[in-house]
Amino acid sequence: MPSPAKSFFWYELMTTDLDAAEAFYTAVVGWRAEPFDKAPGSPRYIVVNAGDRGVGGLMTLPEEAAKMGVPTAWMGYFPTKDIDASVDALQKAGGTVHRPVDDIPGVGRFAVVADPQGAAFMFLEPNGPDQPPVPLNTPGHVGWHELYTTDWQQAFDFYSGQFGWVKDEPFDMGPMGIYQPFVVDGVVNGGMMNKPEQIPVPVWLFYFNVTDIDAAAKRVTDNGGKVVMGPMEVPNGQWIVQCTDPQGAYFALLAPTR
């Protein structure tokens, strides 16, 4: 049975320098950072807030993950009310479990998984009541979710089957192929495409909302990050840059104007 989760609701950076990452992202995105202290004995965790809502967290890349070659990266969580059923449905649809269901004290139960093409994400069955969704255009929140994959048609079938996503109008990018936006609960939430050669493996890229793309790109470079693409206008009239942070994690920024 597919999970009732519809799309990502939390975003987590695993990094090699937690203090540096906190300083970088608070300067670039404008988040308010606060330590998470509700899981005694757990590794240090920093919650980042857009306005009065937590939208993500920063943590040190676990030693065992680093030894396995896991890179510094952002990951997204899907919420679920029954994580065992969600993981079972994912496996039956050809997905992979990288870390079986486990407990986060004071938070809930989680699992690290990947879609059939290999793009990783996480499930979380949270303790406590549901939170209302944050509108996609909230400053500091993720305003667009982009999947780079090896077969976007098969990837779309997977996410549609698991989470009920539907197609929006595709966009023909010429030699780069088709860009397929997807709709979640009536709202265009992101898009997917076959990955270019410079992206080594299938991956989700998250676009954080900022107000002015040029000012935000300058904050990236002023604080030790790199702009690897853009600023570029996208078909809906918004502006984007794709970047890496000082520790090498890939992320992007999205603004309504230039």
Side-chain angles (χ1 to χ4, degrees):
M1 176 70 185
S3 153
K6 293 293 181 69
S7 187
F8 298 102
F9 82 119
W10 190 262
Y11 309 89
E12 190 169 272
L13 174 69
M14 292 191 295
T15 183
T16 52
D17 189 331
L18 188 53
D19 290 333
E22 178 184 0
F24 176 81
Y25 285 101
T26 53
V28 169
V29 185
W31 288 324
R32 176 177 56 83
E34 61 182 352
F36 181 76
D37 54 9
K38 296 180 179 143
S42 294
R44 184 172 159 226
Y45 195 90
I46 296 169
V47 174
V48 293
N49 297 273
D52 60 356
R53 278 286 294 273
V55 295
L58 316 175
M59 64 179 286
T60 299
L61 182 67
E63 189 176 340
E64 63 271 23
K67 285 179 181 173
M68 289 167 57
V70 175
T72 297
W74 281 96
M75 294 265 285
Y77 282 86
F78 284 81
T80 176
K81 295 185 184 302
D82 184 341
I83 194 166
D84 297 305
S86 295
V87 169
D88 184 56
L90 170 131
Q91 288 182 293
K92 285 178 177 170
T96 303
V97 176
H98 289 309
R99 179 165 177 176
V101 177
D102 199 359
D103 285 300
I104 307 173
V107 175
R109 302 172 72 217
F110 83 108
V112 183
V113 299
D115 68 24
Q117 285 72 45
F121 60 91
M122 294 185 266
F123 283 120
L124 180 69
E125 181 185 325
N127 298 342
D130 289 345
Q131 294 283 333
V134 179
L136 270 185
N137 60 355
T138 302
H141 194 46
V142 171
W144 193 255
H145 308 83
E146 195 159 79
L147 176 64
Y148 293 100
T149 185
T150 52
D151 187 327
W152 73 260
Q153 292 99 330
Q154 287 189 12
F156 180 84
D157 290 345
F158 169 81
Y159 287 98
S160 176
Q162 297 299 295
F163 308 119
W165 295 357
V166 297
K167 290 179 179 177
D168 197 39
E169 283 297 315
F171 180 72
D172 189 340
M173 299 183 296
M176 294 180 69
I178 297 295
Y179 190 87
Q180 179 61 65
F182 56 85
V183 177
V184 180
D185 285 342
V187 177
V188 183
N189 192 278
M192 56 182 68
M193 62 180 282
N194 288 346
K195 68 180 186 64
E197 285 183 7
Q198 64 265 33
I199 296 177
V201 294
V203 68
W204 279 100
L205 176 64
F206 304 115
Y207 287 74
F208 303 117
N209 294 323
V210 293
T211 53
D212 177 301
I213 205 67
D214 288 305
K218 186 174 186 301
R219 292 195 298 273
V220 170
T221 54
D222 284 352
N223 287 279
K226 293 177 183 173
V227 173
V228 296
M229 192 193 80
M232 183 177 93
E233 189 174 13
V234 290
N236 63 5
Q238 295 176 306
W239 286 82
I240 63 166
V241 289
Q242 294 180 358
C243 313
T244 54
D245 70 20
Q247 286 70 51
Y250 194 33
F251 72 100
L253 302 171
L254 172 69
T257 58
R258 183 168 192 185

